[in-house]
Amino acid sequence: MPAQLLLNLFIAFLWMTLMDEDELKFTTFFAGFLVGIGIIFFMHRFFGTQFYLRRLVKTIKLLFIFISELTQSSIVVLGQILSPKLKIKPGIFKYETVLKSDVEVTMLSLLLTLTPGSVVMEVSPEGNTLYIHAMDVEESKAGLIKQLKNFEKAIMEVTR
């Protein structure tokens, strides 16, 4: 991916110099960047990797999933906090993840910890089991597992 981006920037600068304008303009650079995207798209199979903008789109998709989950869990936690009586039962549960690399497991742990109402307490030495503390295990365990599955799928799309 970095090689494709660097090549695209090189094509954009080359485009700028070949246009033979009196001064450097951003519009000329942007036009060259778009031309570079087209060239790299048609030649990306020779690089042996996927087209680099696909990973960018998948990263943006992961960001939107995170924002959606953050909003939903914030509303649930806010509802529990504002209720007159706290009827929560905090607890810890174990979750087996399908993610393999340390980067993927760390990403999942950070995304889950950043959403309100849950914290990853520990990761097993093998890296495939997460011990998660939830604010209300009885109510939110199913929602947390659904959230974890969404994060796992999006993380695998970005990293693989």
Side-chain angles (χ1 to χ4, degrees):
M1 182 175 132
Q4 291 180 19
L5 178 62
L6 289 175
L7 181 61
N8 198 0
L9 290 173
F10 177 74
I11 291 170
F13 281 114
L14 186 64
W15 181 271
M16 244 176 28
T17 57
L18 292 177
M19 292 307 273
D20 195 31
E21 295 178 341
D22 294 335
E23 58 187 46
L24 300 176
K25 295 181 183 175
F26 176 74
T27 54
T28 308
F29 175 79
F30 187 69
F33 193 78
L34 292 177
V35 168
I37 287 174
I39 292 170
I40 292 173
F41 178 73
F42 288 115
M43 295 185 63
H44 78 276
R45 61 186 149 164
F46 299 113
F47 292 111
T49 59
Q50 66 177 347
F51 183 53
Y52 79 101
L53 286 182
R54 286 187 182 164
R55 183 170 282 178
L56 179 67
V57 169
K58 291 175 183 177
T59 304
I60 292 170
K61 178 183 169 188
L62 174 63
L63 180 68
F64 281 125
I65 289 172
F66 171 68
I67 291 171
S68 169
E69 295 293 340
L70 178 69
T71 305
Q72 292 172 10
S73 62
S74 295
I75 291 169
V76 168
V77 169
L78 189 64
Q80 290 175 347
I81 291 171
L82 294 177
S83 67
K85 293 183 180 181
L86 278 176
K87 298 177 183 177
I88 61 172
K89 294 189 177 157
I92 300 169
F93 67 95
K94 181 171 87 168
Y95 179 74
E96 299 283 333
T97 182
V98 296
L99 301 175
K100 303 291 182 207
S101 73
D102 291 340
V103 172
E104 292 174 339
V105 173
T106 303
M107 220 188 233
L108 177 65
S109 300
L110 289 174
L111 288 174
L112 187 65
T113 299
L114 287 172
T115 55
S118 60
V119 175
V120 176
M121 295 176 41
E122 187 176 353
V123 179
S124 69
E126 298 81 29
N128 61 349
T129 304
L130 303 173
Y131 295 95
I132 301 169
H133 179 273
M135 193 168 89
D136 193 6
V137 173
E138 291 180 359
E139 293 286 325
S140 64
K141 185 177 179 180
L144 273 172
I145 291 174
K146 180 183 168 217
Q147 183 180 12
L148 285 164
K149 297 284 185 197
N150 287 340
F151 283 150
E152 281 180 339
K153 182 180 173 192
I155 289 170
M156 283 189 289
E157 287 178 354
V158 170
T159 58
R160 296 181 186 173

